[in-house]
Amino acid sequence: MTKNRARNRAVRAQRAEDAAAGRRQRFDHTGQAVDQHHAASQAERRQPPPGIAEAPKAGPGCEILTAPLIVATMLPVGREGLEAAQVLADACDYLVGDDGWYRALAEVHGPLPSRETGMTPLPGHRPAMLLVQVSAHREWTSTDAVAAFLRHAATAIITALVERYPEVTERSVHVQALPHETAAQMTGANAPDAVTTHPHRSLLSRPSAPTAAATAGPGFPFRVVDALDTGWYLIEPDRYRADHTEDRKLSSMTHGELLAARGPLRPVVPAPAADRDRVQAALTGAGPKALASLLVALFRLAKRHAYEEGERSGRLQSGRLYAGNEESWESTAMRALLWGPGVDIADKPNRLDEHAVTELMTVIDTWVSGDEHYVEVADTLAGIFTRTAAASGGWPALADRHFQHGERFAHPDQTIDNAMAWLLRSTAPATADQT
């Protein structure tokens, strides 16, 4: 009976749509069309994995938990690679755990271009990142249950990419959990590029503020910066791994071991709203000198931090500006730009707004030099710059003629492309396609 009522509602809705469009059709013909569409939809619907039993259903007291994952991989250039978002969204429809399969839902943003993945280049492919936010309705009795959920989602993601793209191997896919704050900064108010096609109805009522336990164990932030300005991220409920760990020859450590060996530790947190407003006001006030002023502010800070490190340890270099996420392509781009054009522009006062430089240095230094918290710099600045550009009239409103393609005495095209890819998120995919 319920099925017949649902069918009749679908038929009436279709007839109303036909009438509004000026199409006339008999009721039985409309019913046949609805039945055919339903049959096709059912045929396309993913089925549970064969040979695996369904996990025990979640009880009424269980919660829906959402966990953001960042996926770094290599994707084919062109339309085929752009399909990866839907591939991953549908791959998470059914996740498999030790107790059987269970339903999940994924919202995917991307692919976003990534200039740094640490993976071997593949002919015809480009580095890319996707943000996958996976939700499931389970019994979250411990951090082990959350960690298992993350592993199940990562397995589904890796398997789907390897099956869809023959040239991509498991070694070409890296999946890492993200804090919800970072995911929110990445997505902003943008709708996802892909969503699981046939999610279970119980997952459609998930809360808008996901459970924070998805990102880390109790009391352990996902990312921390140690006393030596080295960034660490959580790889297990109580174990951290350093950025560039192979180069540094650092072993993973528990939170207690890390605190004893390299403490005090500062959790990486989002920038306060007041700081974001100050940065945006400084960029807006600088007008076309904003980009040059930002790069010089970062260069002067990097130089100051290097001198401070030299006095402390005798080593005249510092990673303080990058420690929030040293391996990200945003940090890589920022580092190259502040030590490239940033150095050159520092000797050209006519391209600078000194008030903006001072204000930016003050705010950014509080982010990275405080005793209790650390604010990731490169990605945070990218989000603020993008919003400021959108409110000010675009790239030309914040970048002088030297950062405009085709202008006389402009910086090299690659430098301009790198700056735009870092600071204007909406232009990043197009930039990557051109390279």
Side-chain angles (χ1 to χ4, degrees), residues 127-217:
M129 294 190 303
L130 300 102
L131 174 63
V132 184
Q133 303 201 81
V134 190
S135 302
H137 191 199
R138 303 272 281 168
E139 292 186 8
W140 311 108
T141 55
S142 67
T143 56
D144 289 343
V146 176
F149 170 47
L150 297 177
R151 289 196 303 272
H152 303 160
T155 299
I157 288 169
I158 294 171
T159 301
L161 286 172
V162 171
E163 289 180 352
R164 176 64 180 82
Y165 303 109
E167 299 297 324
V168 176
T169 66
E170 291 187 9
R171 294 172 60 87
S172 301
V173 185
H174 295 169
V175 183
Q176 180 178 314
L178 278 183
H180 287 288
E181 294 85 354
T182 302
Q185 291 174 12
M186 293 179 66
T187 60
N190 297 325
D193 296 290
V195 180
T196 302
T197 306
H198 297 292
H200 191 270
R201 61 182 179 275
S202 66
L203 295 168
L204 298 178
S205 60
R206 64 197 185 285
S208 57
T211 304
T215 59

Side-chain angles (χ1 to χ4, degrees), residues 221 223-232 255 258-259 262-269 319-320 323-324 365-375:
R223 273 197 169 272
V224 296
V225 175
D226 65 23
L228 304 179
D229 292 325
T230 298
W232 298 74
H255 185 272
L258 183 56
L259 183 61
R262 302 172 70 93
L265 304 177
R266 293 170 288 164
V268 178
V269 301
R320 191 180 305 173
D365 201 33
T366 62
W367 291 354
V368 301
S369 298
D371 295 328
E372 296 183 0
H373 302 98
Y374 182 102
V375 174

Side-chain angles (χ1 to χ4, degrees), residues 45 66 121 379:
R45 191 183 300 268
T66 299
D379 188 60

Side-chain angles (χ1 to χ4, degrees), residues 27-309:
F27 187 95
D28 56 342
H29 288 173
T30 303
Q32 291 172 7
V34 168
D35 290 341
Q36 290 171 359
H37 176 78
H38 177 74
S41 176
Q42 288 294 107
E44 295 173 358
R45 191 183 300 268
R46 286 172 56 86
Q47 300 300 314
I52 299 176
E54 182 179 4
K57 292 188 179 297
C62 298
E63 296 181 350
I64 297 176
L65 182 146
T66 299
L69 300 169
I70 192 71
V71 181
T73 187
M74 305 293 292
L75 292 177
V77 175
R79 183 178 298 276
E80 187 181 8
L82 297 177
E83 297 171 357
Q86 194 62 56
V87 169
L88 297 192
D90 289 334
C92 294
D93 194 354
Y94 293 91
L95 300 183
V96 178
D98 294 337
D99 56 348
W101 61 262
Y102 58 96
R103 298 298 298 273
L105 178 149
E107 295 182 341
V108 184
H109 293 260
L112 308 171
S114 174
R115 297 185 182 276
E116 295 289 332
T117 62
M119 289 175 279
T120 304
L122 289 175
H125 293 62
R126 65 172 184 176
M129 294 190 303
L130 300 102
L131 174 63
V132 184
Q133 303 201 81
V134 190
S135 302
H137 191 199
R138 303 272 281 168
E139 292 186 8
W140 311 108
T141 55
S142 67
T143 56
D144 289 343
V146 176
F149 170 47
L150 297 177
R151 289 196 303 272
H152 303 160
T155 299
I157 288 169
I158 294 171
T159 301
L161 286 172
V162 171
E163 289 180 352
R164 176 64 180 82
Y165 303 109
E167 299 297 324
V168 176
T169 66
E170 291 187 9
R171 294 172 60 87
S172 301
V173 185
H174 295 169
V175 183
Q176 180 178 314
L178 278 183
H180 287 288
E181 294 85 354
T182 302
Q185 291 174 12
M186 293 179 66
T187 60
N190 297 325
D193 296 290
V195 180
T196 302
T197 306
H198 297 292
H200 191 270
R201 61 182 179 275
S202 66
L203 295 168
L204 298 178
S205 60
R206 64 197 185 285
S208 57
T211 304
T215 59
F220 298 139
F222 177 72
R223 273 197 169 272
V224 296
V225 175
D226 65 23
L228 304 179
D229 292 325
T230 298
W232 298 74
Y233 58 92
L234 206 63
I235 56 173
E236 294 178 15
D238 183 19
R239 182 163 292 275
Y240 284 88
R241 174 187 174 94
D243 284 328
H244 299 303
T245 187
E246 293 84 2
D247 296 337
R248 291 186 167 119
K249 297 180 173 57
L250 290 171
S251 300
S252 63
M253 302 185 200
T254 66
H255 185 272
E257 292 169 344
L258 183 56
L259 183 61
R262 302 172 70 93
L265 304 177
R266 293 170 288 164
V268 178
V269 301
D275 285 359
R276 292 173 176 272
D277 292 343
R278 287 180 65 184
V279 171
Q280 183 162 352
L283 295 174
T284 302
K289 296 182 178 181
L291 174 54
S293 299
L294 174 61
L295 294 181
V296 170
L298 291 167
F299 163 65
R300 290 179 183 175
L301 276 178
K303 188 167 66 170
R304 178 198 298 175
H305 296 160
Y307 286 142
E308 292 173 355
E309 181 63 27

